[in-house]
């Protein structure tokens, strides 16, 4: 499996693992929420029951039970009909509810929950020795008292059964037993906020852990990709350097074989030819060595002590020397009259030769060099009409060993060290270098150097 596939696989499995972890964590948090909810509900139910069975409510309950008893006496004596009962309870409710609301506000502080509470009559049953079977006076849901009138999502908390006899209310009436069932309902309006707020610490901690794990994953994968890049660059470099040495070595081989033929009547012309081949290839190999050894420099160990004010003529000279070896390329040079560059002459030549060499190598036949004088710095610009550099590579071309033609060593030769070295020199002088241009149409290298 290729490295790229491995990394993709790793990323996919990381994402899947994260998703699974998120699901598990979500499940736990949901469970905790449910548990908190259950706990809060039982607490509130208990509290309401306590309120119901103590003090004030006792009086209130006695009051409406007495009214119910009186009504049953009227009812069993045919002085009232069953449809009048809800009317009676409604009237009672209207007078009881405000008292009740006040009372609940005072008593029912369950950890800041906004509790609404209602009590309903759900069943009234009358029994008596002269009745064949129990008479259901009322069955349904009649509001008895409440601190909330439009309660939508109320939950039933508990039920109470009240038993009395008509003789408890009035001594000289026919004895009927009656039972009233009441149901208590409650709801908590700020319910979700409260529970979520209680769980805030847990939630935040979960989010934090999650972010941490994602961060770690991201960091590891990024590291892995960097490692792979470095490994690729190394392989490329070895391929390139092998290729770079192969050509001069082959040429030297031919030249030496030629010189060995000396006794078989080697012509003067062939002799000189071979010598110049040896000379050229030797030079070329030396240049390669310099490049490779320059690869380990950093701006701190480039000696800038020999910097001097160089004028336009100096640049013109370097360009002219370069032009001699490339007669097919036209190089124009323009400069502000007063423009100077503060740099070591040798370094300036290295920079310009590298940039010009690259321009030709990567397809240019017209090059414009310009020198511009700004207030605190000098801008040296090399513009070519070569193949240009893609936007995404514009930062990377200054990195050590970076080449756009990766692996494909045969189109153009190079080790990917030239621009790296140029950048090191520019940085050593406190300057900056950048490349712009248009892919397919040319590049513009701009160097900004501070004036001394
Ligand atoms: P080398 O030329 O040895 O590959 P450099 O460091 O000089 O190394 O350049 C790095 C890469 O930048 C080159 O491989 C090439 O792809 C790209 N490059 C440099 N100069 C130019 C240019 N003038 N036009 C187009 N591409 C360039």
């Amino acid at each position: 499996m290729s490295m790229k596939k491995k990394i993709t696989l790793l990323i996919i499995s990381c994402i899947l693992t994260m998703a699974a972890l998120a699901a598990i964590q979500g499940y736990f948090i949901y469970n905790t929420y449910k548990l908190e909810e259950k706990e809060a509900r039982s607490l509130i139910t208990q509290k309401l029951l306590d309120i119901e069975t103590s003090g004030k409510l006792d009086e209130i309950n006695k009051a409406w039970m007495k009214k119910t008893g009186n009504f049953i006496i009227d009812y069993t004596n045919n002085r009232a009909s069953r449809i009048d009962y809800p009317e009676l309870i409604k009237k009672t409710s209207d007078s009881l509810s405000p008292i009740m609301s006040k009372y609940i506000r005072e008593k029912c502080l369950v950890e800041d929950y906004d509790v609404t509470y209602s009590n309903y009559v759900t069943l009234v049953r009358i029994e008596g020795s002269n009745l064949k079977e129990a008479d259901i006076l009322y069955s349904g849901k009649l509001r008895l008292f409440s601190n909330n009138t439009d309660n939508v999502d109320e939950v039933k908390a508990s039920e109470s059964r009240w038993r009395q006899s008509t003789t408890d209310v009035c001594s000289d009436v026919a004895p009927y037993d009656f039972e009233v069932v009441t149901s208590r309902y409650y709801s908590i309006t700020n319910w979700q906020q409260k529970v979520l707020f209680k769980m805030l610490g847990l939630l935040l901690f979960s989010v934090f852990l999650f972010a941490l794990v994602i961060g770690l994953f991201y960091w590891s994968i990024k590291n892995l990709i960097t490692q792979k890049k470095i490994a690729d660059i190394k392989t490329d470099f070895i391929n390139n350097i092998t290729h770079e040495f192969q050509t001069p070595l082959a040429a030297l081989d031919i030249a030496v074989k030629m010189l060995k033929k000396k006794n078989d009547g080697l012509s003067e012309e062939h002799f000189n030819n071979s010598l110049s081949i040896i000379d050229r290839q030797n030079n070329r190999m030396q240049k390669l060595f310099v490049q490779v050894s320059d690869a380990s420099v950093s701006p701190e160990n480039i000696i800038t002590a020999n910097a001097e004010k160089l004028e336009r003529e100096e640049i013109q000279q370097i360009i002219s020397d370069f032009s001699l070896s490339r007669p097919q390329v036209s190089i124009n040079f323009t400069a502000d009259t007063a423009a100077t560059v503060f740099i070591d002459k040798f370094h300036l030549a290295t920079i310009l030769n590298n940039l010009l060499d690259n321009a030709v190598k990567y397809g240019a036949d017209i090059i414009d060099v310009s020198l511009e004088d700004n207030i605190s710095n000098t801008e040296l610009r090399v513009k070519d009409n070569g193949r240009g550099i893609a936007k995404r590579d514009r930062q990377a071309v200054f990195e050590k060993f970076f080449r756009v033609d990766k692996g494909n060593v045969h189109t153009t030769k190079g080790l990917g060290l030239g621009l790296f070295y140029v950048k090191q020199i520019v940085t050593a002088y406190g300057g900056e270098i950048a490349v712009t241009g248009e892919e397919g149409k040319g590049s513009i290298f701009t160097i900004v150097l501070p004036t001394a």
Side-chain angles (χ1 to χ4, degrees):
M1 196 177 359
S2 77
M3 192 70 183
K4 205 169 174 180
K5 265 192 189 153
K6 269 188 205 165
I7 290 177
T8 316
L9 204 71
L10 188 70
I11 292 175
I12 291 174
S13 41
C14 278
I15 290 173
L16 290 182
T17 315
M18 292 308 292
L21 276 181
I24 291 172
Q25 206 159 14
Y27 174 73
F28 279 132
I29 288 175
Y30 179 73
N31 267 357
T32 316
Y33 175 81
K34 280 284 158 203
L35 210 69
E36 289 275 351
E37 177 178 345
K38 207 170 153 192
E39 208 170 274
R41 279 197 190 283
S42 74
L43 194 76
I44 287 164
T45 314
Q46 184 56 48
K47 185 93 182 182
L48 291 177
L49 199 67
D50 290 351
I51 289 174
E52 180 84 14
T53 52
S54 67
K56 188 100 166 185
L57 276 186
D58 231 27
E59 286 168 34
I60 291 176
N61 285 329
K62 269 188 193 139
W64 64 259
M65 270 303 274
K66 191 166 177 215
K67 284 189 181 179
T68 302
N70 280 325
F71 182 84
I72 287 171
I73 293 169
D74 286 350
Y75 172 73
T76 46
N77 288 306
N78 292 326
R79 287 196 297 270
S81 118
R82 74 171 71 223
I83 53 167
D84 297 330
Y85 185 67
E87 197 53 40
L88 170 80
I89 291 298
K90 190 184 174 308
K91 262 190 228 146
T92 319
S93 167
D94 288 346
S95 61
L96 287 183
S97 286
I99 306 170
M100 183 60 204
S101 300
K102 186 161 168 275
Y103 184 66
I104 289 215
R105 240 196 333 276
E106 283 163 6
K107 292 274 178 181
C108 189
L109 272 177
V110 188
E111 296 194 37
D112 298 336
Y113 290 117
D114 290 339
V115 181
T116 66
Y117 172 83
S118 304
N119 206 344
Y120 297 97
V121 172
T122 46
L123 186 78
V124 184
R125 197 169 53 183
I126 309 167
E127 290 159 9
S129 48
N130 53 349
L131 287 176
K132 272 192 234 97
E133 52 188 272
D135 184 7
I136 306 292
L137 176 68
Y138 177 81
S139 164
K141 203 172 164 192
L142 264 183
R143 177 179 287 119
L144 194 54
F145 48 76
S146 164
N147 68 343
N148 178 25
T149 43
D150 44 26
N151 216 339
V152 265
D153 41 27
E154 50 184 14
V155 182
K156 187 167 174 177
S158 57
E159 222 178 56
S160 297
R161 283 165 193 277
W162 313 83
R163 292 190 70 89
Q164 256 183 4
S165 169
T166 43
T167 47
D168 296 340
V169 184
C170 194
S171 50
D172 55 349
V173 292
Y176 286 98
D177 287 334
F178 60 96
E179 183 185 54
V180 183
V181 180
T182 59
S183 300
R184 281 175 290 282
Y185 283 76
Y186 74 95
S187 80
I188 304 147
T189 44
N190 61 348
W191 164 248
Q192 262 134 346
Q193 291 114 282
K194 283 290 155 195
V195 175
L196 282 179
F197 187 73
K198 262 179 123 177
M199 291 173 61
L200 197 64
L202 180 74
L203 280 173
L204 285 182
F205 190 58
S206 297
V207 169
F208 168 74
L209 279 187
F210 213 67
L212 195 75
V213 174
I214 288 179
L216 283 178
F217 268 144
Y218 175 76
W219 184 71
S220 318
I221 289 173
K222 210 178 136 188
N223 255 359
L224 201 72
I225 292 173
T226 316
Q227 292 294 325
K228 174 175 156 38
K229 261 193 200 150
I230 292 173
D232 284 354
I233 285 172
K234 275 191 183 148
T235 318
D236 269 354
F237 177 69
I238 290 172
N239 286 340
N240 287 340
I241 207 159
T242 312
H243 181 75
E244 290 287 279
F245 276 101
Q246 242 162 23
T247 327
L249 284 176
L252 281 175
D253 205 39
I254 293 169
V256 169
K257 273 191 186 130
M258 192 73 96
L259 288 182
K260 273 187 182 161
K261 286 184 186 163
K262 192 178 145 202
N263 295 333
D264 304 346
L266 179 74
S267 71
E268 183 77 8
E269 193 200 339
H270 273 130
F271 177 79
N272 283 337
N273 221 344
S274 302
L275 259 191
S276 86
I277 289 177
I278 292 174
D279 191 38
R280 267 207 319 272
Q281 300 307 332
N282 180 38
N283 265 338
R284 192 168 161 192
M285 296 232 278
Q286 268 175 10
K287 263 195 192 160
L288 275 174
F289 268 115
V290 170
Q291 264 203 11
V292 175
S293 61
D294 281 347
S296 57
V297 299
S298 62
E300 296 86 65
N301 46 39
I302 289 175
I303 298 160
T304 58
N306 300 326
E308 53 185 317
K309 232 181 209 173
L310 300 177
E311 308 207 333
R312 47 191 289 187
E313 285 71 29
E314 211 68 49
I315 295 175
Q316 185 64 65
Q317 190 58 52
I318 297 167
I319 293 174
S320 301
D321 286 351
F322 182 82
S323 282
L324 278 182
S325 61
R326 315 285 171 122
Q328 75 283 10
V329 184
S330 98
I331 307 176
N332 311 308
F333 176 52
T334 52
D336 290 348
T337 1
T340 55
V341 205
F342 187 75
I343 195 169
D344 184 328
K345 206 187 266 185
F346 176 74
H347 286 151
L348 180 67
T350 310
I351 292 174
L352 271 171
N353 281 324
N354 261 308
L355 293 184
L356 294 173
D357 206 39
N358 273 348
V360 178
K361 223 161 72 175
Y362 300 106
D365 56 3
I366 302 171
I367 305 171
D368 291 305
V369 182
S370 67
L371 190 66
E372 200 176 299
D373 193 21
N374 295 331
I375 295 164
S376 60
N377 57 41
T378 312
E379 254 178 65
L380 176 64
R381 191 167 292 140
V382 178
K383 178 170 177 261
D384 68 50
N385 64 343
R387 69 163 84 138
I389 300 170
K391 268 214 173 72
R392 65 186 142 84
D393 292 330
R394 285 185 190 162
Q395 203 87 44
V397 288
F398 300 105
E399 281 169 18
K400 199 191 275 190
F401 303 130
F402 182 89
R403 305 202 70 221
V404 176
D405 294 321
K406 280 197 198 83
N408 186 6
V409 288
H410 300 290
T411 29
T412 49
K413 291 177 203 154
L415 297 177
L417 291 171
L419 288 181
F420 168 74
Y421 189 51
V422 169
K423 177 158 184 159
Q424 304 307 300
I425 296 175
V426 172
T427 314
Y429 284 97
E432 269 168 54
I433 182 167
V435 61
T436 51
E438 202 175 323
E439 203 183 352
K441 289 201 172 160
S443 324
I444 306 166
F445 283 87
T446 308
I447 295 173
V448 178
L449 284 171
T451 30

